[in-house]
Amino acid sequence: MIDYKQKISTEREFYPINDLEYSIESDRGRILSAPAFRRLQKRTQVFALELNASIRTRLTHSLEVSQTARFIAKNILSKLEKDGLATYGLEGCKNAFISTSEMTSLLHDIGNPPFGHFAEQTINKWIKENALPLIETFPASTDKTKELKATLSQDLCNYDGNAQAIRVITKLQRLNLSYTQIASVVKYTRGAYEEKPTKGEPFDYLMKKPGFYYSEKGFIEKIQDKLNIKHGCRFPLTYIMEAADDISYLTADLEDSVEKGILNLDKVYELIKAECEKEGETYLLEVIQDRYDQAKKNDEPYQFSMFFTLVRAKLVTSLVYHVVDIYINNHEAIFEGSFNSALLEYDKESKYYKAIKILQAISAKHIYQNKDVQTLELQGYTIINGLLNIFKPLLELTCKDFEALLHDERIECFIAMRLIKRISSKQIVAYQNDVKALNREDTEQFELLEWYHRVRLVIDYISGMTDDFALHEYQTLLAL
């Protein structure tokens, strides 16, 4: 039975709010006021350290995603109203349904590191090569401790912006959002400490990436229990955010590449036309042909802007109605969170899916593989890798020395005494709260878990930087 009142709740960790409308507006205000949200304006979407304000950042991308999510959510409700919203437990919940979808979309990239997805790979490579040898030095005299060590090793090698988002929301920013709003951000349902399922296994799509870390495991399980979300399943409104994100990517990178001078309008048209003809795809070809002809009639120097505006308007509207139909037709599975696919990838024979794949292929070949774009990625790799190397001495300290360091006591490692002063107090408080909750009686497990949270502390600091601050910190500490 579909009853959204099981999912839409005012409950939150602290300072309860009983009124649903007030709770929704409170969540909205907390998200929009969060420093981590503001920092998205200086984070890479595709082009790092970009000075041209017309080029998309994580912030402007998130705003576009939120608008598309709002459009999807409103159209879903319009369809459900035919049966009566009370049938689905949505009476009095329209604003909550729409706003949660919208705010989830604003939050979806909040855990992404500087310099984009390339930085995720950089962090994981560094952890594997530099942190894992350190964890092996910890004693493990019992099977339980050996198992814990293996779990934490797996977890640390799976940094992911989606999992980091949960950490930012719950511990680093301590936004105290409603359980409904937090659950909707969990895009993937696998813990970073769990093995990735093989293709064909249950929830292989929903669990293809890490959605949260071991450090947030208990909190996620608590939310799942409160909102009746089974293991491996998603919160229903997360599907809307994911679809909105996929739709927003359609022409954005192509548009930015023209703004950057990597491609021009005629080249974009030629590439799309050639790929459509190669794949026998007529829908996208008709859309771009009509819009291209209209744009070319305009002699203004920014005719490419008109082209992308017209193409985007047509594609977004068509794709929104497409995903709304898929949501409605698979409503029960989506409500349960067991629908094991992205909405836009469900019908692989549809003209919309084929159009998406064509646009993605063009971006991958002609933008992401562009020499200048890859140069920026290599620079990001050097910066992130360099910063992790600089802060490595904090991970080499004993538990006792690091505790002394946090109490402003002198220790033998004079470098660590200076490095710790650079880390934000919010991040240190998150570390201290995690360590405070540990059981000190089992010394082996305590020291192992303390070190795990210390690694998280260093990753929190570096992954929370903006592109320009990461560059500045790197140049400062290397005296460049």
Side-chain angles (χ1 to χ4, degrees):
M1 179 182 174
I2 298 173
D3 181 4
Y4 279 91
K5 283 189 168 56
Q6 296 176 12
K7 308 291 184 183
I8 297 176
S9 167
T10 63
E11 194 165 359
R12 61 190 70 224
E13 195 72 355
F14 309 106
Y15 308 114
I17 297 174
N18 295 323
D19 182 87
L20 180 58
E21 291 299 310
Y22 180 35
S23 177
I24 290 299
E25 293 308 316
S26 178
D27 281 349
R28 179 183 289 270
R30 291 162 195 258
I31 291 165
L32 292 174
S33 302
F37 177 65
R38 294 195 294 275
R39 281 196 288 271
L40 292 176
Q41 67 186 302
K42 291 292 189 77
R43 293 257 179 84
T44 294
Q45 183 63 21
V46 174
F47 304 101
L49 300 169
E50 180 55 55
L51 297 177
N52 184 347
S54 295
I55 304 297
R56 288 169 175 81
T57 63
R58 288 287 174 195
L59 179 61
T60 54
H61 165 69
S62 297
L63 291 170
E64 290 176 344
V65 176
S66 71
Q67 170 54 31
T68 303
R70 181 179 180 84
F71 188 18
I72 295 170
K74 291 183 79 171
N75 276 279
I76 288 172
L77 288 174
S78 293
K79 292 243 179 184
L80 296 179
E81 279 179 328
K82 294 174 183 177
D83 297 326
L85 292 182
T87 305
Y88 305 101
L90 281 167
E91 191 175 17
C93 296
K94 286 180 66 173
N95 183 40
F97 188 95
I98 296 168
S99 187
T100 302
S101 302
E102 186 180 0
M103 292 299 104
T104 298
S105 301
L106 287 183
L107 287 171
H108 84 283
D109 273 350
I110 207 166
N112 282 24
F115 308 111
H117 293 299
F118 200 70
E120 292 176 322
Q121 298 171 31
T122 302
I123 292 169
N124 287 328
K125 181 176 182 292
W126 190 91
I127 292 292
K128 188 174 182 179
E129 294 175 355
N130 295 272
L132 290 197
L134 294 177
I135 201 173
E136 290 304 320
T137 65
F138 283 81
S141 60
T142 66
D143 289 341
K144 189 176 179 181
T145 306
K146 290 175 184 174
E147 183 180 346
L148 177 62
K149 185 186 285 190
T151 297
L152 299 183
S153 297
Q154 169 91 354
D155 189 81
L156 288 171
C157 289
N158 276 294
Y159 174 90
D160 186 278
N162 295 292
Q164 189 69 19
I166 302 303
R167 188 164 171 80
V168 169
I169 292 165
T170 59
K171 290 185 176 175
L172 302 179
Q173 296 285 292
R174 292 192 288 179
L175 296 181
N176 191 31
L177 301 177
S178 66
Y179 290 164
T180 291
Q181 188 67 73
I182 296 171
S184 66
V185 182
V186 184
K187 185 175 179 181
Y188 297 105
T189 59
R190 171 169 64 94
Y193 50 88
E194 294 179 295
E195 291 293 332
K196 180 180 178 179
T198 57
K199 193 168 184 179
E201 287 190 304
F203 306 127
D204 58 345
Y205 174 76
L206 295 176
M207 301 179 77
K208 72 175 184 177
K209 288 185 179 181
F212 54 93
Y213 300 129
Y214 182 85
S215 49
E216 284 69 62
K217 177 176 180 285
F219 186 67
I220 292 297
E221 289 174 346
K222 180 179 180 180
I223 289 179
Q224 289 172 334
D225 181 61
K226 293 284 186 180
L227 301 181
N228 194 26
I229 303 171
K230 296 176 183 177
H231 178 72
C233 293
R234 241 186 205 175
F235 189 81
L237 302 189
T238 311
Y239 291 98
I240 296 176
M241 173 268 285
E242 181 181 50
D245 190 23
D246 291 342
I247 291 171
S248 297
Y249 267 115
L250 284 179
T251 62
D253 294 343
L254 288 170
E255 189 174 351
D256 285 350
S257 73
V258 173
E259 183 74 39
K260 283 280 292 180
I262 294 173
L263 299 172
N264 59 43
L265 173 60
D266 293 329
K267 184 64 175 176
V268 168
Y269 168 73
E270 289 168 9
L271 290 171
I272 298 176
K273 183 180 178 183
E275 197 67 26
C276 286
E277 290 174 346
K278 175 185 168 186
E279 298 295 329
E281 173 49 48
T282 58
Y283 166 70
L284 181 58
L285 182 58
E286 289 172 1
V287 171
I288 64 131
Q289 184 69 64
D290 179 56
R291 274 62 185 174
Y292 180 72
D293 291 342
Q294 289 184 53
K296 293 301 283 186
K297 289 177 185 176
N298 188 337
D299 293 329
E300 293 180 7
Y302 295 106
Q303 58 187 217
F304 80 87
S305 179
M306 179 182 178
F307 170 73
F308 281 113
T309 298
L310 293 170
V311 169
R312 185 169 58 248
K314 175 63 176 176
L315 289 177
V316 167
T317 301
S318 298
L319 287 165
V320 164
Y321 292 147
H322 177 61
V323 300
V324 167
D325 285 341
I326 293 172
Y327 191 102
I328 297 296
N329 293 337
N330 298 275
H331 199 177
E332 190 169 340
I334 288 170
F335 175 78
E336 291 174 352
S338 60
F339 187 72
N340 193 41
S341 172
L343 297 181
L344 274 176
E345 294 181 4
Y346 179 64
D347 183 2
K348 291 183 169 55
E349 296 303 315
S350 76
K351 59 186 180 182
Y352 305 112
Y353 178 80
K354 292 173 182 175
I356 291 165
K357 286 303 172 184
I358 286 172
L359 293 171
Q360 288 175 343
I362 292 170
S363 292
K365 184 175 180 180
H366 298 279
I367 301 175
Y368 308 149
Q369 293 182 29
N370 176 269
K371 182 180 178 182
D372 293 338
V373 172
Q374 293 191 341
T375 297
L376 292 170
E377 289 180 336
L378 290 171
Q379 290 174 340
Y381 169 83
T382 300
I383 292 167
I384 297 295
N385 207 59
L387 288 171
L388 287 166
N389 284 331
I390 289 167
F391 282 85
K392 186 179 178 181
L394 293 177
L395 306 183
E396 296 172 329
L397 298 175
T398 64
C399 176
K400 183 178 178 182
D401 276 351
F402 192 71
E403 189 173 9
L405 199 64
L406 293 180
H407 287 90
D408 282 331
E409 297 174 16
R410 293 184 65 82
I411 61 172
E412 192 172 330
C413 182
F414 65 95
I415 295 294
M417 291 173 63
R418 286 152 179 81
L419 289 173
I420 195 64
K421 299 294 184 183
R422 306 191 75 84
I423 296 180
S424 164
S425 59
K426 287 183 180 179
Q427 289 151 351
I428 290 175
V429 166
Y431 159 84
Q432 289 174 323
N433 287 338
D434 279 332
V435 172
K436 196 184 299 180
L438 299 178
N439 177 15
R440 287 180 176 264
E441 292 182 9
D442 187 330
T443 305
E444 278 189 358
Q445 291 210 15
F446 172 78
E447 292 188 352
L448 186 58
L449 284 164
E450 181 280 324
W451 182 82
Y452 164 78
H453 290 300
R454 205 190 315 166
V455 178
R456 283 265 159 256
L457 170 64
V458 172
I459 294 175
D460 288 342
Y461 176 59
I462 294 172
S463 70
M465 295 177 178
T466 58
D467 294 4
D468 53 354
F469 182 76
L471 173 61
H472 179 268
E473 188 78 338
Y474 175 78
Q475 291 174 330
T476 299
L477 295 177
L478 267 72
L480 298 177

